[in-house]
Amino acid sequence: MAACGIVYEDGELLLLRDLQGFWSAVGGWIDPGETPEETVVREVREELGVEATVTAHFRPFIAWNVAEHDHPISFLLFPHRIRLASRDFTLQPTEVTDVAWVSPHKLADYEMREHPRKLLDDRLDEWLAHPERRLSS
């Protein structure tokens, strides 16, 4: 299982570029004993060097037969809307090579792996229509 965080501020989405040059949202694998929300906050801290708050939960997404590994895998992804404490990023060079603030209508210009592209294509309108709010812990 994995979790990701959708950051949407001032009409733009935050994308991160990985070591292979592909763009996606911040996120990663859920560690044993960790909740999806804790995973997103940890991944933001690790990858961007800032704190984050989960402000919305979205319905899970199943990534089927992802072929970017030695053997195709399928996994359940828990997306969340997040708010960043700062835009003063310190990128983790072993995972992230760049960040971009992208208007939703420009997403096609960014090279992505198949499952992040499908997730954004299928769910972006739903996410952007969802009001942001602070969730209680």
Side-chain angles (χ1 to χ4, degrees), residues 10 27 35 45 58 64 80 98-99 103 106 109 119 122 127:
D10 302 322
T35 67
R45 190 178 309 117
F58 299 117
W64 294 105
H80 299 84
D98 200 5
V99 298
S103 173
K106 297 273 188 177
D109 297 342
L119 179 62
D122 288 354
W127 294 342

Side-chain angles (χ1 to χ4, degrees), residues 41 46 48 62 66 85-86 100 111 119 127:
V41 170
E46 289 176 3
L48 299 174
I62 299 174
V66 177
S86 169
E111 187 174 5
L119 179 62
W127 294 342

Side-chain angles (χ1 to χ4, degrees), residues 55-77:
T55 60
H57 305 281
F58 299 117
R59 58 192 170 102
F61 175 84
I62 299 174
W64 294 105
N65 298 317
V66 177
E68 62 202 51
H69 302 277
D70 292 337
H71 302 284
I73 63 168
S74 298
F75 61 91
L76 184 62
L77 177 67

Side-chain angles (χ1 to χ4, degrees), residues 3 14 16 20 42 62 67 85-86 110 126 129:
L14 176 64
L16 284 65
Q20 292 77 39
R42 174 182 53 77
I62 299 174
S86 169
Y110 289 78
E126 173 187 334

Side-chain angles (χ1 to χ4, degrees), residues 84-96:
L84 302 175
S86 169
R87 286 190 179 199
D88 186 21
F89 302 141
T90 302
L91 303 184
Q92 183 181 83
T94 59
E95 291 193 43
V96 179

Side-chain angles (χ1 to χ4, degrees), residues 17-38:
R17 187 168 56 195
D18 66 20
L19 298 177
Q20 292 77 39
F22 295 105
W23 295 90
S24 68
V26 64
W29 300 112
I30 297 173
D31 287 343
E34 195 173 50
T35 67
E37 296 84 357
E38 291 167 339

